[in-house]
Amino acid sequence: MSDQSWSAARVADVLLRAEDTATPQTSILAEWDGLDLGTAYAAQDIALRMRLARGERLTGVKLGVTSKAKQRQVGVDSPSTAWLTDRMILPIGEPVPREKMIHARAEPEIAFVMGRRLEGPGVSAATALAAVEHVVGAIEIIDSRFSGYQFSMMDAVADNNSSGRYVTGPVGRAPEGLDLALEACLLEIDGEVVDSATGAAVHGHPAEALAFAVNTLAERGLAIEAGWVVLTGGMTDAVPVQPGARIAAHFTTLGTVTVAGG
């Protein structure tokens, strides 16, 4: 495919089709050097409009590349944002629909449920946290549309930050009195602890990630709405979801969230 045939709309169509058919795609940046970050976000927004047009409902925002380790890995110095819709919600107790995904991976996250609208720019972490109704533990099932998880930052942004499914835990806590930087999580597969982290891994503090998200969205004239879920980014590395495997994220104060591989 020549450079002349690419556009933000074409990128959105290719990646959404890859998601719908669980068909891996080669890196778009490798084929089209015109895929800069602005174009990638434009493709992401076009794909969102396509999702909404077919009946999906916007439910929130997700952050990616919030840890310093992941930023170094992909050669960037800040996180990225993407969209959540109701199609991505995995009800508690339901298995991960691996047959509808390319290569599902799970990562534990701290999530915010927003109590009021939050609009940038210039929002601080404290102001952002004051807009949160409650905090929950979560597991996000990411699913890059790129073969072998080989992609650039621009590819990932255009691909809606590898969105797949997400499940939030049953324990909701008011943010007041929580030390989210020290909120710990043990990631367990079939009863064996495979990784651990604290909230400090998420952009220094999950509220800093929330502030980053709303200030970044403000650059595109967008805000975070009341009732939305905000996934603040993976606390640990993502682990593959194997058939029948039981994955659990045990949080200090936010309870336990579990998923099983279908």
Side-chain angles (χ1 to χ4, degrees):
M1 193 174 291
S2 66
D3 279 2
Q4 289 75 17
S5 67
W6 283 108
S7 65
R10 177 63 177 159
V11 171
D13 182 69
V14 166
L15 291 176
L16 199 54
R17 191 180 303 273
E19 178 182 337
D20 290 341
T21 61
T23 303
Q25 163 74 40
T26 57
S27 164
I28 290 172
L29 184 63
E31 296 186 39
W32 181 39
D33 60 9
L35 184 65
D36 57 20
L37 200 56
T39 305
Y41 274 117
Q44 187 189 102
D45 290 346
I46 292 168
L48 174 63
R49 291 195 290 272
M50 295 167 68
R51 294 177 193 274
L52 300 180
R54 68 188 188 185
E56 295 181 45
R57 179 174 55 85
L58 183 58
T59 58
V61 172
K62 68 188 292 295
L63 286 109
V65 202
T66 49
S67 75
K68 291 298 183 184
K70 289 185 179 179
Q71 288 172 16
R72 287 192 295 269
Q73 188 177 37
V74 299
V76 298
D77 58 5
S78 64
S80 57
T81 62
W83 301 111
L84 298 173
T85 72
D86 60 342
R87 182 176 181 269
M88 302 172 192
I89 298 171
L90 183 67
I92 292 176
E94 286 197 12
V96 175
R98 295 177 64 259
E99 74 284 355
K100 297 180 181 179
M101 307 177 82
I102 298 170
H103 28 217
R105 299 186 180 190
E107 58 185 25
E109 307 200 15
I110 292 171
F112 295 129
V113 178
M114 303 306 298
R116 61 176 174 81
R117 190 173 195 265
L118 187 62
E119 184 176 9
V123 173
S124 68
T127 299
L129 198 59
V132 171
E133 180 180 271
H134 59 269
V135 187
V136 293
I139 293 179
E140 184 181 9
I141 311 298
I142 59 174
D143 187 36
S144 170
R145 263 54 71 177
F146 297 104
S147 301
Y149 265 85
Q150 299 298 311
F151 50 83
S152 68
M153 180 68 172
M154 282 68 75
D155 286 317
V157 169
D159 190 33
N160 203 49
N161 280 358
S162 304
S163 59
R165 300 289 191 275
Y166 70 95
V167 57
T168 54
V171 178
R173 299 283 304 276
E176 295 80 17
L178 295 181
D179 191 337
L180 293 177
L182 292 180
E183 180 74 19
C185 177
L186 296 178
L187 182 63
E188 181 184 278
I189 302 178
D190 293 332
E192 179 182 352
V193 174
V194 297
D195 209 342
S196 63
T198 67
V202 182
H203 206 53
H205 190 290
E208 293 286 357
L210 176 60
F212 172 88
V214 72
N215 289 328
T216 300
L217 289 171
E219 297 172 6
R220 290 146 63 194
L222 304 169
I224 293 176
E225 302 296 338
W228 280 10
V229 172
V230 179
L231 298 179
T232 59
M235 299 173 72
T236 70
D237 284 339
V239 296
V241 179
Q242 303 294 350
R246 180 184 179 277
I247 299 172
H250 303 286
F251 295 89
T252 306
T253 64
L254 300 176
T256 294
V257 187
T258 61
V259 295

